[in-house]
Amino acid sequence: MSTNHIQLNKVTLGGLLVTLGIIYGDIGTSPLYVMKAIVGEQPIEEQVILGALSCIFWTLTLQTTIKYVYLTLNADNKGEGGIFSLYTLVKRLKKKGLIVPAIIGGSALLADGIITPPISVSSAIEGLKTYQPELDTVPIVITILFILFFIQRFGSKFIGKFFGPMMLLWFGMLGVLGTIPLFGNIGVLKALNPYYAIHLLSIHHEGFYVLGFVFLCTTGAEALYSDMGHCGRANIRVSWAFVKTMLVLNYFGQGAYLISHSGQTLSTLSGNPTNPGNPFYLLMPDWFLPFGIAIATSAAVIASQALISGSFTLISEAMRLNFWPKVSVKFPTELRGQLYIPSINWLLFLGCVFIVLHFRESGNMEAAYGLAIVLCMLMTTTLLGYYMVMKRYNKILIVAVICIYFTIEISFLIANISKFHHGGYVSLGIAGLLAMIMAVWFTAKRIRSEYTEFTKIANYKTVLSELSNDMSIPKYATHLVYMTNAQLGDEIESKIIYSILQKRPKRADIYWFVHVNVVDEPYKMEYRVREIMKDDVIRVDFYLGFRVAPRVNLMFKQVVRDMVKRSEVDITSRYESLNRNNVIGDFKFVIIEKFLSYDNDLPWYERIILDIYFILKKISLSEGRAFGLDSSSVKVEKFPIVIHPPEDFNLVRIDDCPN
C-alpha cells in the first residue's frame, strides 16, 4: 500500500476541508432546484411538502449514505474509486458482459458532466430575477461557463485552495438558512417518518413520477466514489455526516417555509406570474439576497469544476483501458492525478452551451438531468454485486443489497423516463453517443488483436545478429526501438520482423522491443528488462497503472540510464570516430500503424465497426504522440490489416492462340 494511500485514509482537518471542496459540489448545490421542481406550479399543500421532505431524507439515507458512503467506498482499487476502477477490480472474475455496465456507466457519468454545469450555474444566477424578473440569464451563464472552461488549462491548484473554505461557507449558509424557519414549525420533522414518502406517490399531481424530481437530491452521489483517490475513504465518511446534516436542515427549512404559505403557488410568492419563486432564495432576507446569490454562484462553479476534473480523469482511464481514442493529455501542475485534456474540455464546453441555449432556464433542464446518472448508478450497483461476490460477502447480504438497490434505482429510472419527451432525450442521446464511441473503440481493438500474427523471436535470432553485423547494408540507426503489442516476452508481431528484414532491411547495433502493459493498480510504475540476445536484442516491459500517462520517451530514457549505470548496455556510438570520443548513439523509434485493406471479406457488422474505428483514429492522437515520443526520432510505417481474406478468385488465364 502506497504512503499516499495510507495518508489519505487518515482523517485530518486539511483533508476534510479538501474533501468539502472537491467532492460535494454537485450534491451540495441540489437544494437550489429540488424543492422547486417537486412543488412545480401547483398550490402548496402540507402533505405534499411532508412527503417531499420524507422522500429526500430517505433517498439521501439509503442511496447516498448506505450505498455509496458505506458500501461502495469499500470497493477501492489501491485507494482509487470510480466506475472504471470498480470494473478493473471485478474483471478478474472473467465474466462475460462486464464491459457493458462499465461502458454504459462511464458514458452516463460523462453525460452528467455536460448537464451539471448549466443547471447548477443557471439555478444560482436566476436568483438575480428577484431584482429584475425579465432578465435574460443565458449570456451571463455562458460567460461564466466560458471563463470556467478557459482556466482549466492552468490547472485547479490555485483556485482549488479556495474550494474548501468556500464550500464550508456554503454548507454553513445552508444550515443557518434552514434552521431559522424550523424554529417556527418544528412539527415538519415528522416527515422523517417514511410513511409520508410513500403517501406522496398517491397525492402528488405527478404521482409515481414525482420520484424523477426527488432523485435530483442524490445526483452527486457518484462523485463521492469517483473522487475517493483525491480525498480518501475516511475523510469522505466523516465529512459526509456534516454535509448531510446541513442539506437536511436546508431542505426541512424550505419545507417549513412552504407549509407556512400553504395554498399559494411559487409564482404568487415571487410576486411575478411568469417567474416562479425558488424556495431556496425565498428563505433569505432581502438584505442577504445579493450575498446569497454570490455564494450560490461560487458553489455552482465549484460543482461544475468537480465534474469537469472528474471527466478528465474518466477519459484518461478510458484511454488506458482501450475505451476511448487517444487524445492529448497535459499536466498543468505537479499534483498527482491533476490533468487537462484540451479536446474534452472544449467538447464539454460546447455541450454545456448547447444545453443552455436549448433549455434556457434551469427549470427546463431538470427534465434532462437525472436520467443519465440513474443509469450510471444502476451500472455501479451491477458491478458492486460482482465485487461483493468476488470478496465473498455473505450471500444473504449480497442478495438483499442488490434487490433493494435495483428496486430503488429502477423506480427512479422509470420515473425519470417520463422526462424523456421533455428533455431527457438530450441526456440519453449524449450518453448513447459516448457509449457508442467506447463500444466501437473497444470492439475494434479486440478484432484487431484477434487477427494480429505473432512469431517467436528465437526463430530470428541468427538473422538479426547477422543483419546487425552486415556492413554491406547502410546502418539505419544505432538503437532501433519498436513498440510492440506482444504480451509474451518471447514473441513479436510478424509485421515488425517484416519491417526489419524485408520492407527495407534495417541494420542497427541494438534492437529494442518496448511493450506497455496497463495494470489494475492505478498509479503503478514498474519495468522489466529481458536481454534476448547479448548486445543485439533487448525487450523492455513497462507495467503502468490505468491512471498513469504512458510517457514512454521519458521512461525509456530512464531505463537506458539505469542499464548504463549497471553496465548492462553500452549506448556509445559504434562508429569508430564517435566511439573514440564517447558520443552516444542515436535512438530511432518505429511505430507500426495499420489500415484496413480492401482485400477483406468481413461480416457486415465488423466492417462497420472497423470503418468507424478508423474514422475516429484519423481525428485522434497518433500512436507516437499517444506514447509521448519525440516526433523527430519517430518513423511511422503503415501496414494493411487483412482479415478474412477472400477466397481464391475463379480467374482463368487465356493463352495466345498459335499462328
Side-chain angles (χ1 to χ4, degrees):
M1 184 179 291
S2 66
T3 306
N4 197 37
H5 185 193
I6 294 170
Q7 289 175 344
L8 282 175
N9 275 311
K10 288 183 178 178
V11 178
T12 62
L13 189 60
L16 293 173
L17 202 59
V18 168
T19 303
L20 282 180
I22 291 178
I23 287 181
Y24 298 112
D26 190 0
I27 200 168
T29 51
S30 56
L32 281 166
Y33 42 79
V34 173
M35 287 299 290
K36 180 184 175 185
I38 294 173
V39 174
E41 298 177 0
Q42 303 298 311
I44 298 165
E45 297 179 39
E46 180 177 353
Q47 291 297 305
V48 169
I49 300 302
L50 291 174
L53 295 176
S54 187
C55 276
I56 290 169
F57 175 79
W58 286 106
T59 298
L60 288 174
T61 300
L62 293 172
Q63 191 70 16
T64 314
T65 308
I66 297 177
K67 180 189 170 183
Y68 280 97
V69 176
Y70 288 102
L71 283 175
T72 312
L73 287 187
N74 287 326
D76 71 303
N77 189 347
K78 305 294 181 182
E80 295 295 330
I83 194 158
F84 286 151
S85 289
L86 183 55
Y87 165 71
T88 58
L89 284 172
V90 301
K91 72 176 182 179
R92 300 167 193 170
L93 291 171
K94 301 193 182 300
K95 297 281 187 182
K96 285 187 178 181
L98 284 178
I99 192 72
V100 175
I103 286 177
I104 294 175
S107 58
L109 202 56
L110 275 173
D112 184 48
I114 293 175
I115 298 168
T116 296
I119 192 173
S120 297
V121 175
S122 295
S123 298
I125 292 298
E126 282 166 12
L128 293 172
K129 289 189 174 183
T130 306
Y131 298 105
Q132 193 174 343
E134 303 304 320
L135 176 69
D136 183 6
T137 58
V138 169
I140 302 173
V141 172
I142 291 178
T143 301
I144 291 173
L145 290 173
F146 175 76
I147 294 170
L148 178 64
F149 281 97
F150 180 77
I151 63 174
Q152 295 302 313
R153 67 183 65 197
F154 306 111
S156 58
K157 182 179 180 181
F158 174 72
I159 54 176
K161 293 177 182 177
F162 302 99
F163 282 6
M166 191 68 234
M167 291 307 289
L168 182 62
L169 176 62
W170 166 253
F171 285 116
M173 184 182 83
L174 290 184
V176 171
L177 288 175
T179 302
I180 295 171
L182 276 177
F183 285 128
N185 184 8
I186 201 72
V188 78
L189 293 177
K190 62 187 176 185
L192 295 174
N193 185 339
Y195 159 77
Y196 290 99
I198 299 167
H199 186 51
L200 176 70
L201 305 184
S202 61
I203 62 172
H204 194 275
H205 67 280
E206 293 277 355
F208 175 81
Y209 296 105
V210 70
L211 290 179
F213 298 124
V214 171
F215 180 72
L216 297 175
C217 76
T218 189
T219 50
E222 193 72 31
L224 275 67
Y225 182 42
S226 298
D227 287 322
M228 178 165 59
H230 295 287
C231 305
R233 183 193 305 130
N235 284 317
I236 294 173
R237 285 178 172 167
V238 172
S239 59
W240 171 244
F242 165 72
V243 169
K244 184 185 176 185
T245 302
M246 297 300 107
L247 287 173
V248 169
L249 282 173
N250 192 265
Y251 282 124
F252 275 69
Q254 289 186 43
Y257 173 86
L258 291 170
I259 288 172
S260 68
H261 294 82
S262 293
Q264 299 185 56
T265 64
L266 291 180
S267 295
T268 56
L269 286 175
S270 69
N272 186 341
T274 61
N275 179 35
N278 187 332
F280 177 78
Y281 287 119
L282 292 173
L283 291 181
M284 298 180 185
D286 291 341
W287 65 267
F288 183 73
L289 197 56
F291 302 101
I293 294 171
I295 295 170
T297 303
S298 300
V301 169
I302 291 171
S304 304
Q305 173 65 46
L307 264 295
I308 295 167
S309 300
S311 298
F312 293 159
T313 302
L314 198 71
I315 288 294
S316 177
E317 292 176 8
M319 284 192 293
R320 307 292 292 123
L321 294 170
N322 281 332
F323 291 162
W324 194 263
K326 299 289 190 293
V327 291
S328 176
V329 180
K330 300 183 183 299
F331 300 87
T333 70
E334 296 302 314
L335 287 179
R336 169 174 153 169
Q338 174 116 151
L339 42 85
Y340 168 63
I341 303 180
S343 58
I344 299 301
N345 184 65
W346 295 112
L347 191 67
L348 288 175
F349 172 69
L350 291 175
C352 289
V353 170
F354 167 75
I355 295 291
V356 174
L357 293 176
H358 184 70
F359 293 108
R360 303 196 70 83
E361 293 184 358
S362 63
N364 300 329
M365 296 176 197
E366 289 156 5
Y369 198 43
L371 189 51
I373 203 65
V374 74
L375 281 175
C376 183
M377 290 184 172
L378 271 166
M379 299 306 106
T380 300
T381 300
T382 303
L383 294 176
L384 181 63
Y386 281 106
Y387 174 80
M388 295 172 78
V389 169
M390 186 179 75
K391 289 294 184 180
R392 298 183 179 178
Y393 279 57
N394 182 286
K395 290 182 180 178
I396 297 175
L397 176 64
I398 296 173
V399 172
V401 167
I402 298 304
C403 288
I404 289 171
Y405 285 105
F406 268 155
T407 301
I408 293 172
E409 286 161 4
I410 289 173
S411 298
F412 280 134
L413 178 63
I414 294 169
N416 275 285
I417 283 176
S418 69
K419 301 177 181 179
F420 182 83
H421 296 295
H422 303 288
Y425 59 88
V426 174
S427 57
L428 276 192
I430 293 170
L433 178 63
L434 295 170
M436 186 201 74
I437 293 173
M438 290 187 187
V440 165
W441 195 263
F442 181 82
T443 306
K445 285 278 189 181
R446 192 190 64 204
I447 292 172
R448 282 185 51 185
S449 64
E450 284 177 357
Y451 294 99
T452 301
E453 292 183 9
F454 296 97
T455 186
K456 297 290 184 184
I457 300 178
N459 298 337
Y460 296 91
K461 279 186 177 182
T462 303
V463 69
L464 286 174
S465 178
E466 290 180 0
L467 175 62
S468 182
N469 294 288
D470 187 348
M471 301 301 173
S472 67
I473 300 175
K475 187 182 290 187
Y476 189 80
T478 305
H479 300 272
L480 190 56
V481 187
Y482 278 88
M483 302 300 299
T484 174
N485 289 321
Q487 297 284 348
L488 301 178
D490 60 344
E491 288 187 345
I492 201 75
E493 288 99 325
S494 300
K495 296 293 185 188
I496 291 179
I497 293 297
Y498 178 85
S499 169
I500 296 173
L501 302 180
Q502 292 176 272
K503 187 160 189 176
R504 172 192 165 184
K506 296 180 177 64
R507 182 165 72 88
D509 293 324
I510 299 179
Y511 297 96
W512 301 78
F513 300 125
V514 176
H515 177 65
V516 176
N517 293 283
V518 180
V519 298
D520 294 343
E521 294 182 29
Y523 289 100
K524 186 174 185 177
M525 285 195 289
E526 295 177 357
Y527 74 90
R528 174 181 290 146
V529 175
R530 295 185 181 92
E531 194 170 44
I532 297 170
M533 289 174 59
K534 180 69 175 172
D535 295 330
D536 275 325
V537 181
I538 299 172
R539 174 171 170 128
V540 179
D541 284 276
F542 289 105
Y543 300 91
L544 306 179
F546 61 88
R547 285 197 172 179
V548 175
R551 292 189 275 188
V552 173
N553 203 47
L554 297 175
M555 294 176 177
F556 182 70
K557 284 180 180 178
Q558 183 174 327
V559 170
V560 173
R561 282 197 298 268
D562 291 347
M563 292 180 69
V564 169
K565 284 181 183 178
R566 298 185 180 197
S567 302
E568 293 174 338
V569 68
D570 179 9
I571 62 170
T572 54
S573 175
R574 303 286 175 88
Y575 292 107
E576 291 183 10
S577 59
L578 299 180
N579 187 273
R580 283 196 300 270
N581 291 283
N582 293 319
V583 176
I584 294 174
D586 62 304
F587 284 81
K588 187 81 172 177
F589 286 85
V590 179
I591 300 287
I592 303 291
E593 283 198 354
K594 299 171 183 176
F595 62 90
L596 191 60
S597 169
Y598 289 108
D599 297 330
N600 284 297
D601 186 16
L602 293 168
W604 64 269
Y605 60 89
E606 286 190 356
R607 183 81 205 192
I608 291 173
I609 287 171
L610 288 172
D611 282 342
I612 298 173
Y613 168 78
F614 281 105
I615 291 172
L616 292 172
K617 196 167 175 59
K618 284 181 182 178
I619 60 175
S620 66
L621 215 57
S622 67
E623 293 286 334
R625 289 185 63 193
F627 282 121
L629 300 176
D630 184 355
S631 59
S632 63
S633 62
V634 175
K635 166 71 174 176
V636 177
E637 291 189 351
K638 296 185 180 292
F639 283 89
I641 302 178
V642 182
I643 304 172
H644 297 312
E647 301 297 326
D648 291 339
F649 296 103
N650 188 22
L651 201 59
V652 179
R653 173 174 172 170
I654 302 174
D655 291 322
D656 290 336
C657 295
N659 292 329

